[in-house]
Amino acid sequence: DQQVKQNSPSLSVQEGRISILNCDYTNSMFDYFLWYKKYPAEGPTFLISISSIKDKNEDGRFTVFLNKSAKHLSLHIVPSQPGDSAVYFCAASAGTGANNLFFGTGTRLTVIP
Amino acid sequence: NAGVTQTPKFRILKIGQSMTLQCTQDMNHNYMYWYRQDPGMGLKLIYYSVGAGITDKGEVPNGYNVSRSTTEDFPLRLELAAPSQTSVYFCASRLRQGLSTAHFGNGTRLTVT
């Protein structure tokens, strides 16, 4: 009963091109979504978030898009850099202050120089 | 600035043994969390605490206990280790203001054989 799904376990992209990571959720109570980046042997680090009152949020090279009707969000990285190579987790919660975050299974991004 | 520190980094336990995973943070965060990540899966919440003396169950609390006697420390106790508890354990802390402030430790990789 995975409430947050990342259906692509891995993605390879050439340096300088766009990376698009996708995430789907099933629980209509989720209204706050976050993306985390994780390097090997480290904990996840927060990347970017979006509230359900928005459909887009940008932070430098990172943009998150939210399609509430489709229960789908995506993370765009433009341009992709080799240092972006990591595992990316999508997470969702019911409220910005909720104590339980529901994580997807992650997508391993490899940016090829 | 150490952030969230977890010890040990690695541990192998025999079935039925007990151990405590240590987590300490130096950011004066009130909220602390324990997650586990099984291979190929997302992180799942085990227990959390909103302040010293206050703890509550997350999504997968069975087989674990926690305590929170100080703001800084949030140890996780396994009383009777089982193979199903083989996982990577992450501790996190955050400010009251929201999930995007969460900092994760680097994890403890536990194997129960």
Side-chain angles (χ1 to χ4, degrees), chain A residues 2 32 34 36 38 41-44 46 89 93 95-105, chain B residues 31 33 35 37 40-45 48 50 59 90 94 97-100 102 104-106:
Chain A
Q2 190 76 19
Y32 188 59
L34 305 91
Y36 288 86
K38 186 183 177 305
E42 293 185 11
F46 170 74
F89 289 98
S93 73
T96 60
N99 284 303
N100 200 359
L101 263 181
F102 292 86
F103 283 82
T105 52
Chain B
Y31 290 54
Y33 303 85
Y35 286 90
Q37 185 190 12
M41 303 296 288
L43 284 71
K44 290 187 185 294
L45 182 64
Y48 67 95
V50 300
E59 196 180 350
F90 290 100
R94 70 168 175 93
Q97 282 86 335
L99 291 161
S100 63
F104 284 80
N106 288 338

Short mmCIF file of all heavy atoms in Angstrom, two decimals, chain A residues 2 32 34 36 38 41-44 46 89 93 95-105, chain B residues 31 33 35 37 40-45 48 50 59 90 94 97-100 102 104-106:
data_model
loop_
_atom_site.label_atom_id
_atom_site.label_comp_id
_atom_site.label_asym_id
_atom_site.label_seq_id
_atom_site.Cartn_x
_atom_site.Cartn_y
_atom_site.Cartn_z
N GLN A 2 1.70 1.32 -1.04
CA GLN A 2 2.61 2.44 -1.19
C GLN A 2 1.78 3.65 -1.63
O GLN A 2 1.24 3.67 -2.75
CB GLN A 2 3.68 2.10 -2.24
CG GLN A 2 4.82 3.03 -2.37
CD GLN A 2 5.85 2.91 -1.26
OE1 GLN A 2 5.91 1.90 -0.55
NE2 GLN A 2 6.65 3.92 -1.09
N TYR A 32 0.98 18.60 0.80
CA TYR A 32 2.32 19.19 0.86
C TYR A 32 3.30 18.14 0.39
O TYR A 32 3.25 16.99 0.84
CB TYR A 32 2.63 19.64 2.28
CG TYR A 32 3.91 20.42 2.43
CD1 TYR A 32 4.10 21.61 1.74
CD2 TYR A 32 4.93 19.98 3.27
CE1 TYR A 32 5.27 22.32 1.88
CE2 TYR A 32 6.10 20.69 3.41
CZ TYR A 32 6.26 21.86 2.71
OH TYR A 32 7.42 22.58 2.85
N LEU A 34 7.39 17.16 -0.98
CA LEU A 34 8.80 17.53 -0.88
C LEU A 34 9.63 16.60 -1.74
O LEU A 34 9.27 15.44 -1.96
CB LEU A 34 9.30 17.41 0.57
CG LEU A 34 8.53 18.16 1.65
CD1 LEU A 34 7.44 17.29 2.26
CD2 LEU A 34 9.47 18.62 2.75
N TYR A 36 13.61 15.12 -1.87
CA TYR A 36 14.86 14.99 -1.15
C TYR A 36 15.88 14.36 -2.09
O TYR A 36 15.56 13.55 -2.95
CB TYR A 36 14.71 14.09 0.07
CG TYR A 36 13.95 14.70 1.22
CD1 TYR A 36 12.56 14.62 1.27
CD2 TYR A 36 14.62 15.36 2.24
CE1 TYR A 36 11.86 15.18 2.33
CE2 TYR A 36 13.92 15.92 3.30
CZ TYR A 36 12.54 15.82 3.33
OH TYR A 36 11.86 16.38 4.36
N LYS A 38 19.56 12.21 -2.07
CA LYS A 38 20.35 11.37 -1.16
C LYS A 38 21.59 10.83 -1.86
O LYS A 38 21.48 10.15 -2.89
CB LYS A 38 19.50 10.22 -0.62
CG LYS A 38 20.22 9.39 0.44
CD LYS A 38 19.39 8.24 0.89
CE LYS A 38 20.17 7.39 1.90
NZ LYS A 38 21.46 6.93 1.41
N ALA A 41 25.58 6.61 1.61
CA ALA A 41 26.09 6.69 2.98
C ALA A 41 25.77 8.03 3.66
O ALA A 41 26.42 8.38 4.66
CB ALA A 41 27.59 6.42 3.03
N GLU A 42 24.82 8.76 3.13
CA GLU A 42 24.37 9.99 3.77
C GLU A 42 22.85 9.95 3.94
O GLU A 42 22.16 9.16 3.29
CB GLU A 42 24.75 11.22 2.93
CG GLU A 42 26.24 11.45 2.84
CD GLU A 42 26.57 12.73 2.11
OE1 GLU A 42 25.64 13.53 1.84
OE2 GLU A 42 27.75 12.94 1.79
N GLY A 43 22.34 10.83 4.80
CA GLY A 43 20.91 10.94 4.92
C GLY A 43 20.32 11.80 3.82
O GLY A 43 21.04 12.52 3.14
N PRO A 44 19.01 11.73 3.64
CA PRO A 44 18.36 12.60 2.64
C PRO A 44 18.54 14.06 3.02
O PRO A 44 18.55 14.41 4.20
CB PRO A 44 16.89 12.18 2.73
CG PRO A 44 16.87 10.85 3.39
CD PRO A 44 18.04 10.84 4.31
N PHE A 46 16.92 17.96 2.09
CA PHE A 46 15.78 18.63 1.48
C PHE A 46 16.21 19.41 0.25
O PHE A 46 17.23 20.09 0.24
CB PHE A 46 15.15 19.58 2.51
CG PHE A 46 14.12 20.50 1.94
CD1 PHE A 46 12.88 20.02 1.57
CD2 PHE A 46 14.41 21.84 1.74
CE1 PHE A 46 11.93 20.87 1.03
CE2 PHE A 46 13.47 22.69 1.20
CZ PHE A 46 12.23 22.21 0.84
N PHE A 89 14.14 11.26 -3.72
CA PHE A 89 12.91 10.76 -3.10
C PHE A 89 11.84 11.84 -3.14
O PHE A 89 12.09 13.00 -2.81
CB PHE A 89 13.15 10.37 -1.64
CG PHE A 89 13.99 9.15 -1.46
CD1 PHE A 89 15.34 9.24 -1.20
CD2 PHE A 89 13.41 7.89 -1.54
CE1 PHE A 89 16.13 8.11 -1.03
CE2 PHE A 89 14.18 6.74 -1.37
CZ PHE A 89 15.54 6.86 -1.11
N SER A 93 2.82 14.74 2.57
CA SER A 93 2.21 14.79 3.90
C SER A 93 0.86 15.49 3.83
O SER A 93 0.55 16.19 2.87
CB SER A 93 3.11 15.51 4.89
OG SER A 93 3.10 16.90 4.65
N GLY A 95 -0.50 18.31 5.34
CA GLY A 95 -0.17 19.49 6.13
C GLY A 95 1.32 19.72 6.21
O GLY A 95 2.11 18.77 6.22
N THR A 96 1.72 20.98 6.28
CA THR A 96 3.15 21.32 6.31
C THR A 96 3.79 20.99 7.65
O THR A 96 4.99 20.89 7.75
CB THR A 96 3.37 22.81 6.03
OG1 THR A 96 2.67 23.57 7.03
CG2 THR A 96 2.85 23.21 4.66
N GLY A 97 2.97 20.81 8.68
CA GLY A 97 3.52 20.51 10.00
C GLY A 97 3.23 19.10 10.45
O GLY A 97 3.48 18.75 11.61
N ALA A 98 2.75 18.27 9.53
CA ALA A 98 2.42 16.89 9.89
C ALA A 98 3.67 16.14 10.33
O ALA A 98 4.77 16.46 9.91
CB ALA A 98 1.77 16.18 8.71
N ASN A 99 3.48 15.14 11.15
CA ASN A 99 4.63 14.39 11.64
C ASN A 99 4.95 13.16 10.81
O ASN A 99 6.03 12.59 10.97
CB ASN A 99 4.41 13.99 13.10
CG ASN A 99 4.61 15.17 14.02
OD1 ASN A 99 5.67 15.78 14.02
ND2 ASN A 99 3.59 15.51 14.78
N ASN A 100 4.05 12.73 9.96
CA ASN A 100 4.37 11.57 9.14
C ASN A 100 4.53 11.98 7.69
O ASN A 100 3.62 12.53 7.07
CB ASN A 100 3.30 10.50 9.25
CG ASN A 100 3.83 9.14 8.82
OD1 ASN A 100 5.00 9.02 8.43
ND2 ASN A 100 3.00 8.13 8.88
N LEU A 101 5.73 11.74 7.18
CA LEU A 101 6.01 11.93 5.78
C LEU A 101 5.94 10.58 5.10
O LEU A 101 6.51 9.61 5.62
CB LEU A 101 7.43 12.47 5.60
CG LEU A 101 7.67 13.96 5.43
CD1 LEU A 101 9.15 14.22 5.24
CD2 LEU A 101 6.88 14.52 4.28
N PHE A 102 5.29 10.51 3.96
CA PHE A 102 5.22 9.27 3.20
C PHE A 102 6.16 9.40 2.01
O PHE A 102 6.00 10.30 1.19
CB PHE A 102 3.79 9.01 2.75
CG PHE A 102 2.87 8.70 3.90
CD1 PHE A 102 2.26 9.72 4.60
CD2 PHE A 102 2.64 7.39 4.30
CE1 PHE A 102 1.43 9.46 5.68
CE2 PHE A 102 1.80 7.11 5.38
CZ PHE A 102 1.19 8.14 6.07
N PHE A 103 7.12 8.49 1.94
CA PHE A 103 8.17 8.56 0.92
C PHE A 103 7.90 7.61 -0.22
O PHE A 103 7.38 6.50 -0.03
CB PHE A 103 9.52 8.19 1.54
CG PHE A 103 10.14 9.27 2.36
CD1 PHE A 103 9.76 9.47 3.68
CD2 PHE A 103 11.13 10.09 1.83
CE1 PHE A 103 10.34 10.47 4.46
CE2 PHE A 103 11.72 11.09 2.60
CZ PHE A 103 11.32 11.28 3.91
N GLY A 104 8.32 8.02 -1.41
CA GLY A 104 8.39 7.12 -2.54
C GLY A 104 9.62 6.25 -2.44
O GLY A 104 10.44 6.40 -1.51
N THR A 105 9.78 5.36 -3.40
CA THR A 105 10.88 4.39 -3.36
C THR A 105 12.17 4.93 -3.94
O THR A 105 13.20 4.29 -3.86
CB THR A 105 10.49 3.10 -4.10
OG1 THR A 105 10.02 3.46 -5.40
CG2 THR A 105 9.40 2.36 -3.36
N TYR B 31 11.42 18.68 17.43
CA TYR B 31 10.84 17.51 16.80
C TYR B 31 11.94 16.56 16.35
O TYR B 31 12.88 16.97 15.67
CB TYR B 31 10.00 17.91 15.59
CG TYR B 31 8.72 18.64 15.90
CD1 TYR B 31 8.72 19.77 16.70
CD2 TYR B 31 7.51 18.19 15.41
CE1 TYR B 31 7.55 20.43 17.01
CE2 TYR B 31 6.33 18.85 15.69
CZ TYR B 31 6.34 19.97 16.49
OH TYR B 31 5.18 20.61 16.78
N TYR B 33 12.66 12.30 14.86
CA TYR B 33 12.01 11.18 14.16
C TYR B 33 12.97 10.03 13.97
O TYR B 33 14.18 10.23 13.81
CB TYR B 33 11.54 11.65 12.76
CG TYR B 33 10.62 12.83 12.79
CD1 TYR B 33 11.12 14.13 12.84
CD2 TYR B 33 9.24 12.64 12.79
CE1 TYR B 33 10.27 15.21 12.88
CE2 TYR B 33 8.38 13.73 12.82
CZ TYR B 33 8.89 15.01 12.87
OH TYR B 33 8.04 16.09 12.92
N TYR B 35 13.18 6.86 11.21
CA TYR B 35 12.69 6.21 10.01
C TYR B 35 13.51 4.95 9.75
O TYR B 35 14.68 4.87 10.14
CB TYR B 35 12.84 7.12 8.79
CG TYR B 35 11.87 8.27 8.71
CD1 TYR B 35 12.18 9.50 9.27
CD2 TYR B 35 10.66 8.14 8.05
CE1 TYR B 35 11.31 10.57 9.18
CE2 TYR B 35 9.77 9.20 7.94
CZ TYR B 35 10.10 10.41 8.51
OH TYR B 35 9.24 11.46 8.42
N GLN B 37 14.55 2.41 6.32
CA GLN B 37 14.48 2.26 4.87
C GLN B 37 14.90 0.85 4.50
O GLN B 37 16.08 0.49 4.64
CB GLN B 37 15.37 3.27 4.15
CG GLN B 37 15.20 3.18 2.63
CD GLN B 37 16.21 3.98 1.86
OE1 GLN B 37 17.21 4.46 2.39
NE2 GLN B 37 15.96 4.17 0.58
N GLY B 40 15.16 -1.00 -1.61
CA GLY B 40 14.23 -0.72 -2.70
C GLY B 40 12.93 -0.06 -2.27
O GLY B 40 11.99 0.03 -3.07
N MET B 41 12.89 0.39 -1.03
CA MET B 41 11.65 1.00 -0.52
C MET B 41 11.89 2.42 -0.06
O MET B 41 13.04 2.86 0.09
CB MET B 41 11.11 0.17 0.66
CG MET B 41 10.86 -1.28 0.34
SD MET B 41 9.56 -1.47 -0.89
CE MET B 41 8.12 -1.02 0.07
N GLY B 42 10.79 3.13 0.18
CA GLY B 42 10.92 4.46 0.75
C GLY B 42 11.08 4.39 2.26
O GLY B 42 10.94 3.34 2.87
N LEU B 43 11.39 5.54 2.85
CA LEU B 43 11.53 5.60 4.30
C LEU B 43 10.15 5.48 4.95
O LEU B 43 9.17 6.04 4.45
CB LEU B 43 12.17 6.93 4.73
CG LEU B 43 13.67 7.09 4.54
CD1 LEU B 43 14.07 7.22 3.09
CD2 LEU B 43 14.18 8.28 5.35
N LYS B 44 10.11 4.77 6.08
CA LYS B 44 8.86 4.64 6.83
C LYS B 44 9.09 5.11 8.27
O LYS B 44 10.10 4.76 8.88
CB LYS B 44 8.35 3.21 6.81
CG LYS B 44 7.83 2.76 5.44
CD LYS B 44 7.18 1.41 5.52
CE LYS B 44 6.78 0.89 4.14
NZ LYS B 44 5.72 1.69 3.51
N LEU B 45 8.12 5.83 8.81
CA LEU B 45 8.26 6.41 10.14
C LEU B 45 8.02 5.36 11.22
O LEU B 45 7.01 4.67 11.22
CB LEU B 45 7.26 7.56 10.31
CG LEU B 45 7.31 8.32 11.62
CD1 LEU B 45 8.65 9.04 11.78
CD2 LEU B 45 6.17 9.32 11.72
N TYR B 48 8.18 9.09 16.66
CA TYR B 48 8.58 10.48 16.64
C TYR B 48 8.35 11.11 18.01
O TYR B 48 7.69 10.53 18.88
CB TYR B 48 7.85 11.27 15.55
CG TYR B 48 6.36 11.45 15.76
CD1 TYR B 48 5.85 12.60 16.36
CD2 TYR B 48 5.46 10.47 15.32
CE1 TYR B 48 4.49 12.76 16.54
CE2 TYR B 48 4.11 10.63 15.50
CZ TYR B 48 3.62 11.77 16.10
OH TYR B 48 2.26 11.94 16.27
N VAL B 50 7.79 15.16 19.82
CA VAL B 50 7.61 16.61 19.61
C VAL B 50 8.26 17.43 20.72
O VAL B 50 8.14 18.66 20.74
CB VAL B 50 6.12 16.98 19.45
CG1 VAL B 50 5.52 16.26 18.25
CG2 VAL B 50 5.35 16.68 20.72
N GLU B 59 4.30 4.85 11.62
CA GLU B 59 3.64 3.87 10.76
C GLU B 59 4.03 2.42 11.09
O GLU B 59 3.24 1.51 10.98
CB GLU B 59 4.03 4.18 9.31
CG GLU B 59 3.19 3.56 8.23
CD GLU B 59 3.68 3.97 6.85
OE1 GLU B 59 4.54 4.87 6.72
OE2 GLU B 59 3.21 3.36 5.87
N PHE B 90 17.28 5.86 9.87
CA PHE B 90 17.61 7.28 9.81
C PHE B 90 16.90 8.03 10.93
O PHE B 90 15.71 7.85 11.15
CB PHE B 90 17.19 7.89 8.47
CG PHE B 90 18.00 7.42 7.31
CD1 PHE B 90 17.52 6.43 6.48
CD2 PHE B 90 19.25 7.97 7.05
CE1 PHE B 90 18.26 5.99 5.40
CE2 PHE B 90 20.00 7.54 5.98
CZ PHE B 90 19.51 6.54 5.15
N ARG B 94 13.72 18.44 13.33
CA ARG B 94 13.27 19.65 12.64
C ARG B 94 12.74 20.67 13.62
O ARG B 94 12.45 20.37 14.77
CB ARG B 94 12.20 19.32 11.60
CG ARG B 94 10.84 18.91 12.17
CD ARG B 94 9.81 18.90 11.05
NE ARG B 94 8.49 18.41 11.47
CZ ARG B 94 7.51 19.18 11.90
NH1 ARG B 94 7.70 20.49 12.03
NH2 ARG B 94 6.34 18.66 12.22
N GLN B 97 8.40 24.70 12.80
CA GLN B 97 7.78 25.43 11.69
C GLN B 97 7.42 24.59 10.48
O GLN B 97 6.59 24.98 9.69
CB GLN B 97 8.69 26.59 11.23
CG GLN B 97 8.64 27.80 12.11
CD GLN B 97 9.60 27.69 13.28
OE1 GLN B 97 9.96 26.60 13.70
NE2 GLN B 97 9.99 28.83 13.80
N GLY B 98 8.06 23.46 10.28
CA GLY B 98 7.66 22.71 9.10
C GLY B 98 8.64 21.65 8.65
O GLY B 98 9.81 21.63 9.02
N LEU B 99 8.11 20.78 7.81
CA LEU B 99 8.85 19.61 7.36
C LEU B 99 10.08 19.97 6.54
O LEU B 99 11.06 19.23 6.54
CB LEU B 99 7.93 18.71 6.55
CG LEU B 99 6.83 18.03 7.36
CD1 LEU B 99 5.72 17.57 6.44
CD2 LEU B 99 7.41 16.87 8.13
N SER B 100 10.04 21.09 5.84
CA SER B 100 11.18 21.42 4.97
C SER B 100 12.42 21.76 5.77
O SER B 100 13.51 21.84 5.22
CB SER B 100 10.82 22.59 4.05
OG SER B 100 10.56 23.75 4.81
N ALA B 102 13.63 19.82 8.09
CA ALA B 102 14.15 18.58 8.65
C ALA B 102 15.58 18.30 8.21
O ALA B 102 15.92 18.45 7.04
CB ALA B 102 13.25 17.41 8.28
N PHE B 104 18.45 15.18 8.37
CA PHE B 104 18.61 13.76 8.60
C PHE B 104 20.04 13.42 8.99
O PHE B 104 20.98 14.06 8.51
CB PHE B 104 18.25 12.97 7.34
CG PHE B 104 16.79 12.85 7.07
CD1 PHE B 104 16.10 13.90 6.49
CD2 PHE B 104 16.10 11.69 7.39
CE1 PHE B 104 14.73 13.80 6.24
CE2 PHE B 104 14.73 11.58 7.14
CZ PHE B 104 14.05 12.64 6.57
N GLY B 105 20.18 12.40 9.83
CA GLY B 105 21.50 11.84 10.08
C GLY B 105 21.92 10.96 8.92
O GLY B 105 21.16 10.75 7.97
N ASN B 106 23.15 10.43 9.00
CA ASN B 106 23.69 9.63 7.91
C ASN B 106 23.29 8.17 7.96
O ASN B 106 23.68 7.39 7.09
CB ASN B 106 25.21 9.74 7.87
CG ASN B 106 25.65 11.11 7.38
OD1 ASN B 106 24.91 11.81 6.70
ND2 ASN B 106 26.87 11.50 7.72
#
